[in-house]
Every structure is written in C-alpha cells, then in structure tokens.
C-alpha cells in the first residue's frame, strides 16, 4: 500500500512543489503590506481582511490540491488498476492508497495556508482568528468531498467526465459555504450556524462521501478484472 501511495505522490511531486511556490506568492503579498492597504480602505477591517485572507486560502488550496485528477487519466487508460490486481494488494489497499494520497496532497496546501495565516496573526493582522484556522480546514474538507468521488466516477465514465463533475460539485459546495457565511454575518442566520456548518455538517458530509466513494471504488475494481 505504501508503494501505491508513493507512486501517486511521485507522479505529481513536481506539480506539488510548483503549486506550493505559486501559492506562496499571494500569501507573501498579504504579509508584506497588501493587507495593511486593505485595512486602510475598509472601515470593517476585521471582516474585510479576513475575507481577503479566505480568498487567498481558496487560491492556495483549491487549484493545486486537485492534482490527483492528473493521475486518473493515465491510471484508467494504461490499465494500471488491472496491473494492481496482479499484485499482492487487496482492493481496499488500492482504493485506500488513492484516498490517502489525495488527503496528503490536500493536507500539504491546507498546512501551508494555516502556517501563513498564523504568521499574519502573529504580525498583528486585524482578523478573526478562529476563521483563519477554520477556513483552510473547511477548504480541505470540501476538496475531500469533491475529489474522492472522482475515483469511482473516472472508472465508470472516464477521467474527463469525472473532472467536469468534480468542478460542478466544488462550485456548488463553495457557493453553499459562502451563502451560509454571508447569511450569518448579515444576521439572517444565528451566530452558531457557521460553526455548525464548519464543525458538524462538513465533517459529517466528508465522512459519508469518503465512505461511499471507498465502497463504490472497491466494487468497481472487483468487477473490472
């Protein structure tokens, strides 16, 4: 199983490095003065600056944590899954390796975002500290929710169609998250609604989707021998 995980990570390691370097750019801009410029223009400094940091987190996490999609086309077209079935690994290990690889890549960019957010907090940025920790984690959960179904969908319908479905899922979830956030800050929803969404609904949805994708992928691999 370790070899399966390393195979996926090695196949996109250059893209991970480049993605991390690109993701650092907007974060560094925020730390060297762009954030102060926003505060000067915005009377609601905490809300405005926190929102901008959230958008920087999205730009850092979302585009590059979906690198696992790049491995699916070659896996399906080259018959990698059938080759795996000749190895001394179970279907659970094959699917588990793909899920863990996805989580590791997402985790790298989530950790990068949290680290940069913490540095900004230590430098005295007027932001909502809880959001600076929670939002990157929520982005990571949304990515897990949208990416884990891509594996079974790619086996069933092809990697290109799976990538398009992933994009639709991701947009829908982020729009839902934005609606909940704005409704909470505007007073249309109680203050605990945002915490309920972040700490209960998203984790529960992530667990459900990951489990369903895991079972579905196992069944598809078992049938495709």
């Amino acid at each position: 199983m370790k070899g399966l995980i390393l195979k996926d990570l090695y196949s996109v390691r250059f893209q991970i490095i480049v993605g991390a370097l690109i993701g650092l750019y907007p974060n560094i801009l925020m730390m060297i003065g762009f954030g102060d410029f926003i505060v000067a223009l915005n009377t609601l400094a905490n809300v405005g600056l926190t929102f901008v940091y959230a958008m920087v987190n999205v730009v850092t996490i979302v585009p590059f944590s979906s690198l696992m999609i790049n491995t699916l086309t070659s896996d399906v077209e080259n018959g990698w899954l059938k080759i795996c079935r000749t190895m001394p690994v179970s279907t659970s290990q094959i699917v588990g390796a793909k899920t863990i690889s996805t989580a590791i890549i997402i985790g790298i960019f989530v950790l990068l975002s949290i680290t940069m957010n913490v540095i900004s907090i230590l430098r005295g940025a007027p932001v909502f500290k809880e959001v600076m920790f929670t939002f990157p984690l929520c982005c990571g959960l949304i990515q897990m929710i949208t990416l884990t179904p891509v594996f079974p969908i790619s086996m069933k319908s092809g990697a290109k169609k799976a990538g398009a479905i992933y994009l639709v899922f991701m947009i829908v979830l982020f729009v839902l998250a934005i609606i909940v956030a704005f409704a909470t800050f505007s007073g249309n929803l109680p203050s605990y609604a945002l915490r309920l969404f972040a700490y209960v609904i998203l984790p529960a949805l992530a667990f459900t989707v990951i489990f369903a994708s895991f079972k579905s992928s196992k069944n598809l691999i078992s049938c495709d021998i």
Side-chain angles (χ1 to χ4, degrees), residues 168-197:
V168 173
F169 283 169
M170 184 189 68
I171 291 173
V172 169
L173 272 175
F174 269 106
V175 168
L176 177 62
I178 291 171
I179 290 173
V180 172
F182 272 103
T184 303
F185 281 117
S186 62
N188 295 323
L189 286 176
S191 58
Y192 63 80
L194 199 55
R195 289 189 174 93
L196 181 67
F197 181 80

